[in-house]
Amino acid sequence: MTDDKEVSRGHETDLEDMVASSDSGARKPAGVPGRLLVGIAAVWSLFQLWISSPLPYMVGFGVFNATQARSIHLAFAIFLAFMAYPALKRSPRDRIPLMDWALAAVGAFCAAYLFLFYEQLAERPGAPITQDVVVGVIGILVLLEATRRALGPPLMIVASVFILYSLFGPYMPGFLAHRGVSLYGLVNHQWLTTQGVFGIALGVSTSFVFLFVLFGALLDKAGAGNYFIKVAFSLLGHYKGGPAKAAVVASGMTGLISGSSIANTVTTGTFTIPMMKRVGFSSEKAGAVEVASSVNGQIMPPVMGAAAFLMVEYVGISYVEVIKHAFLPALISYIALIYIVHLEALKANLEGLQSSNPVRPLLNKVIGFLTGLLLLMGLSLAVYYGLGWLKPVLGSATPWVVAVALAAVYVGLLKVGSRYPELELDDPAKPVFTLPQTRPTVMVGLHYILPVIVLVWCLMVERLSPGLSAFWATVFMIFIMVTQRPITAFFRGRSQLAEDIKEGLFDLWNGLVTGARNMIGIGIATATAGIVVGAVSQTGVGLVLADLVEVLSMGNLMLILLLTAVLSLILGMGLPTTANYIVVSALMAPVIVTLGQQNGLIVPLIAVHLFVFYFGIMADVTPPVGLASFAAAAVSGGDPLRTGFQAFYYSLRTAALPFLFIFNTDLLLIEVSFLQGLLIFVVATIAMLIFAAGTQGYMLARSRWYESVLLLLVAFTLFRPGFWMDIIHDPYQSVPPSEFAQALGQVDEGSNLRVEILDEDDFGEQFTRFLLVPVPDGDSAEERMENLGMTLRTEDDSTYVDSVTFGSQAEQIGFGSMFFDQEILTVRAPVDRWPKELMWIPGLLVFGLVVLLQRRRRDAQGSAAEAA
């Protein structure tokens, strides 16, 4: 028994080292260096809380502008990277070599250079002196070494290639050649401005990402991670394949607060994978379910592996808009994964674990669920409209009243939770696992949901910035960590005030340290990815890449998307999600938009960015590198490659979604009403479940090959009904370009004209592209043209853009972007036709046919089994 415990502890240590080496650093020095490491990490967290709070402006001290804050942020990240990450596998883990101390100090100084010499640098913009260049060169080299340690060689190699490309542009072959940049120009662009290392990506890491990662770390240290797992098991563990379904839900809830798929895999997988194996899942399938659900956590708002905040800056829309567009595909993907697990359980005839809940009639369960849902909805409406009524009455006192009310609710929830047994951490090595009862499990940790509610309220209702919203949620989380133990102990009648507060402060300290250590890799990744972004803007390689992709794809948009998906996967195999998204979106997003316009498909920018992001996270699943698959295999004892392939098979639904929302933006809730959005959610969910059944080869019974084909065809029809309707009836009619104004005056407001124009690029080469022209307000064609902000002229049967009003809607669309004499080649106006949703009817009829066939076969097999 002792040997088993030692093996279990050793296995647990290996898993911790795996997470640490990829997320927080594998080095754990003893003595003063160890205390210094955790102390600096905690100071970093406190610094980030300080600059995100209103306090600096209230006291008039410690106010930093964006560039200064980024400089200090990177200085912390580089210093901690050399302290926490060993140089090589054989390097010591229990001490910090002298060379690493030197690199940490030099790197931190170079990163803090913009803060330390901010005024001097501001006096010589674009004219660096020798000292600036020396610091910049050393800083870039040290940053690349920190990247190699924290993230592995791939991102370092990619950044190095772009630096060399910038310097040696004139010596590049063929169309890759450019005029090149000098060393002074490179350092100035990459290190001394906000175009490269200290650009948007590092700014997002500084302003938003750190606080969300810290919030997640504090929530986990407070006990919320264990609470989510327990709740998921209590709700779903007794169903067919229940532990696997619980793993999906637990990983989804953990993904809300975690930015790392590997940490998510190990954290939840340590408990869920042994349970899945216990009910009959193979080691590879158990690991694959955990990988698929953990990786999906990164597409789930509000954090999305830090990509949500980057999209705000890159796409130019609000954070709330990003969340709205990203939520539906993520939710549908999770629902489909639960269904895939259900199908696996049906195929293998698996059962769930024994439920501890008292037996209640189904009607009572339904009534209880609906009652709770109605009470929650009523409470939400009362709070929303109640605060709306109180704000004008209370004025500036509103925040204090709300804080007191929130504290009262928090204490009330702790009072309710104290009536039930405390949650305990389960030992995954134990041979027996008893499912907890649902009601006591849910009630004992309801207070963990309050900080999440505060976060969502500040973001969605108060419309505060993401950074300030995360700050207030984190402040409330700190209050909970310090007070939950003494208050709960008081209600349970066993108060040890000093000891309870001490434990809460210890958890808080660990949360501050963990949050900072988890941010080292993200801070380094965003800075290094900034080198790639800076090189793209300095050398114009984006135009070169567009030409290359166009040649390889022969102008076919589907091939362009496939090339982009493959590139995202390849880069993602070596880059963390955040860096992969930054690099691929900088390189490929403009290419897809530009070539899409040239080929008649006008793709919203948010759809393109979500496309590259989805395929970036798929790299954590995909063999041969898939780090999350290796982590899951370490827990399950299965083969890593087979686990990876099985996880990729489960993740096909996630790979299909980006292609679907590129061609059907309704899935992203773009320009749809609430009722339309509700209908789209229901139909898209059904379509994804049918797609899952088609790819898994099982629905009511094992599918024949033609049934799988029909199911995939039905799923495609439900997702993209417009594809078939466009074949039956063209949605547009051609209008002579000279009648552009008349067409604009005749179509309904809110519709769009599709206009093909002949344009010129920066080098004077002509190309065609399509523009989507929204019909502006106006009672006549002339008024609408005036509101559009554009005038036309006709010469020799050709129509040209004569002038475009500065700042007008026409200019924003793309008219007059390069030169004013753009020729309008074609104009297509919308026509009345049947709604595309009518194509759902034949699709559902085909689905009904497959259901009928499978039901007959299942019933026949059941009768044969009974007869035998």
Side-chain angles (χ1 to χ4, degrees), residues 740 785-786 788-793 799-805 810 820 822 824:
F740 177 93
M785 283 295 291
E786 184 178 347
L788 185 62
M790 181 173 71
T791 59
L792 306 176
R793 75 173 191 276
T799 302
Y800 300 92
V801 177
D802 191 44
S803 65
V804 175
T805 305
F820 287 124
Q822 295 166 324
I824 296 180

Side-chain angles (χ1 to χ4, degrees), residues 558-633:
M558 183 56 73
L559 282 178
I560 293 170
L561 294 174
L562 286 172
L563 284 171
T564 304
V566 171
L567 177 65
S568 302
L569 277 174
I570 292 172
L571 284 172
M573 288 180 185
L575 308 190
T577 303
T578 309
N580 181 33
Y581 167 68
I582 295 168
V583 172
V584 181
S585 62
L587 293 175
M588 298 303 298
V591 175
I592 296 176
V593 172
T594 301
L595 297 184
Q597 287 181 336
Q598 294 177 20
N599 289 275
L601 180 67
I602 300 167
V603 186
L605 194 55
I606 181 64
V608 177
H609 279 260
L610 284 171
F611 181 92
V612 298
F613 173 62
Y614 266 56
F615 279 100
I617 67 163
M618 286 290 291
D620 276 345
V621 178
T622 312
V625 178
L627 296 178
S629 299
F630 278 84

Side-chain angles (χ1 to χ4, degrees), residues 730-733 743 747-748 751-754 775 828-832:
D730 194 330
Y732 293 93
Q733 64 178 359
V747 296
D748 297 332
S751 56
N752 300 284
L753 296 180
R754 291 174 62 87
V775 177
R828 292 172 62 77
V831 297
D832 292 332

Side-chain angles (χ1 to χ4, degrees), residues 23 212-213 216-217 251-265 267 294 297-298 300 303-306 518:
D23 281 348
F212 277 84
V213 172
S251 295
M253 290 190 290
T254 306
L256 292 173
I257 60 173
S258 170
S260 169
S261 56
I262 300 166
N264 196 350
T265 299
T267 303
S294 295
Q298 294 200 80
M300 180 64 77
V303 178
M304 294 169 60
N518 288 344

Side-chain angles (χ1 to χ4, degrees), residues 687 690-691 693-695 699 703-718 724 842-851 853-854:
I690 294 172
F691 176 83
T695 55
M699 189 168 63
S703 300
R704 306 278 167 79
W705 68 267
Y706 55 85
E707 291 174 340
S708 294
V709 171
L710 288 175
L711 287 173
L712 294 176
L713 193 63
V714 170
F716 176 78
T717 302
L718 295 179
W724 304 112
L844 292 173
L845 289 175
V846 173
F847 176 65
L849 175 63
V850 176
V851 170
L853 292 172
Q854 293 207 358

